[in-house]
Each structure stands twice: as structure tokens, then as C-alpha cells.
Amino acid sequence: MIIESILGMVVGLIMGLTGAGGGILAVPALVLVLGTDIKVAAPVTLVAVSLAGILGAIDGLRRGWVRYKAAALMSSMGAVTAPLGVMIARHLPSAWLMVMFACIMAFVSFRSYQKALPRSSTIVTENPIKPCMVSPETGRFVWSPRVAATIGAIGATSGLFTGMLGVGGGFIIVPALQKFSNVGIHSVVATSLMVIALISGATVGNALLSTQFQWPANMTAFVVFALVGMLVGRVASPRLSPRLLQLGFATVCALVAITVLVKTAAGI
């Protein structure tokens, strides 16, 4: 129970601080540390990520950070593609899914490290134009067909990986919103947490209702402490350097990716 509690706390804390990383770290942690099969770890992770995402989204709504129309569109598209991801996962060996995890985590680590590096002032433009722009007057997206298509595509991609890998999708939503929009980091994190909660909640229902799935008794502590970690992360986030958080997240993802590849190659 102690190990499960620690893992849950770490997962919730990372989600609260970054708006991503909960599922992408939780699944390999449950598989490698506790020896849980990935097909059991995925729905357990979805429960923890969904509930923690709800807590984070409520905090973001209270602070006015959630771009709720964008979150609703991404969630709708994700709910459509998530069942497809579940179907794909059922026909793939666990080893393939773990290798896919490792590759995704390596990519996320690389991108996070890039964002953490100091940028030259001669290269960065003050107000870069991006596909999805927020109005400085209203603080909301200036909606157009292009904006809707971009936001919808982010949600659809997130939902596909949510169903296939049992992750919340924040590792796609956060960097995608940062790349394709001028939304501030606090709004990005809060919006991501709302989408995670909605997409994960829709996906987990299908997994838990499956006659082949039984809830492991030792996973309750993992879920409870993930919620505690989320609350701590949301309180601590404004007090920590974004660059430090990016570097820490990048390092953790890189270490997990290497560990997953080594264990999978060894036949574990």
C-alpha cells in the first residue's frame, strides 16, 4: 500500500504542476514497479487521471483559466476517437504498447527540454501569430473554421492515444496548445486538465464495464493519493519556475523511456 500511495502522489503532483504526464508516467510505473499488466494498469490509471483532472479543472474554472469551449470541442472529438484506440490496443501485444510508450515519452522529453532552454532574444518575436489566437480584449479564442479544425484535431489525437495507451492525453494537449495558440501557460494547464477529465471519464466507463476487468484491491490507495497529489500540485504550481518544471518533467520522461525499453527488451 505504501508504494501504491507514493506512486499515486507522484502522478497527481506532476499532473497538477504541468497539466500532463499523469498517465504517461503512471502506466509504466504500475507495470515496472508493481508488476501490473498493462491491460490492467491502463483502466486503473484512467480512473486516477480522470478524477484528478476533475479536481484540477474545478480549480481552473474557479480562477477563470479554462477555455471551456475549446475543452468541450477537444473532449467531443476525443470521445469519438477513444473507442478506436481501445480497439487497437486489444489487438496489439503488451510489449508493442510498452515500446510505443517509450517512444512517445522520449519525444515528449525532447520537446520539454527544448522548451526549457533559454531562447535568444534576436530570434523570438514578441507577438507571434499562431493558428489559434486569443483576443486580448476578451481573453477568449477568436473562433473561425481554421481554429475549430485545429482544436478538434488536437482533441481527436488525444482521444486516440487515451484509448490505446490508457493515458489522459495531456502530453499531447499541452504542447499542442502551446504550439498552435497564444494561450498562457496557466490556461493551457487548466484547459488540458478539463479535457483529460472528460476524455478519460468517457474511456474508463467502457474499460470498467468490461466483463474481463476486475478492480485490483491495492489500486485504491493509488487513486486516492493521486487526488492528494493533484491538490498539492495546483497549490504549488504558481510558486515554481516554469523552466524548472519543464526540465524536471523532461528528465523523468527520459529516464522512464529508457527503463521501459530495457525492461521490454529483457522480456519483462
Side-chain angles (χ1 to χ4, degrees), residues 51-153:
L51 293 176
I54 289 172
L55 286 182
I58 290 173
D59 176 69
L61 285 168
R62 181 177 62 85
R63 298 173 185 266
W65 289 341
V66 177
R67 303 277 66 84
Y68 53 88
K69 290 182 181 178
L73 177 56
M74 286 188 283
S75 301
S76 299
M77 295 302 297
V80 172
T81 57
L84 176 60
V86 173
M87 291 175 57
I88 294 174
R90 287 175 179 168
H91 292 85
L92 291 178
S94 296
W96 288 20
L97 294 176
M98 292 306 293
V99 170
M100 191 180 301
F101 249 122
C103 293
I104 292 173
M105 280 186 284
F107 176 75
V108 171
S109 173
F110 174 71
R111 293 295 297 166
S112 296
Y113 180 73
Q114 277 190 320
K115 288 183 178 295
L117 291 176
R119 301 179 182 180
S120 171
S121 58
T122 59
I123 298 177
V124 178
T125 56
E126 245 179 78
N127 296 300
I129 302 300
K130 298 187 176 183
C132 306
M133 298 295 289
V134 170
S135 168
E137 289 80 17
T138 65
R140 300 175 181 177
F141 279 117
V142 181
W143 286 95
S144 68
R146 184 188 186 191
V147 172
T150 303
I151 297 294

Side-chain angles (χ1 to χ4, degrees), residues 15 30 48 61 63 78 98 127 144 181 186 192 210 231 250 255 260:
M15 279 188 67
L30 292 178
L61 285 168
R63 298 173 185 266
M98 292 306 293
N127 296 300
S144 68
S181 79
H186 289 301
S192 172
S210 171
L231 293 175
L255 291 174
V260 168

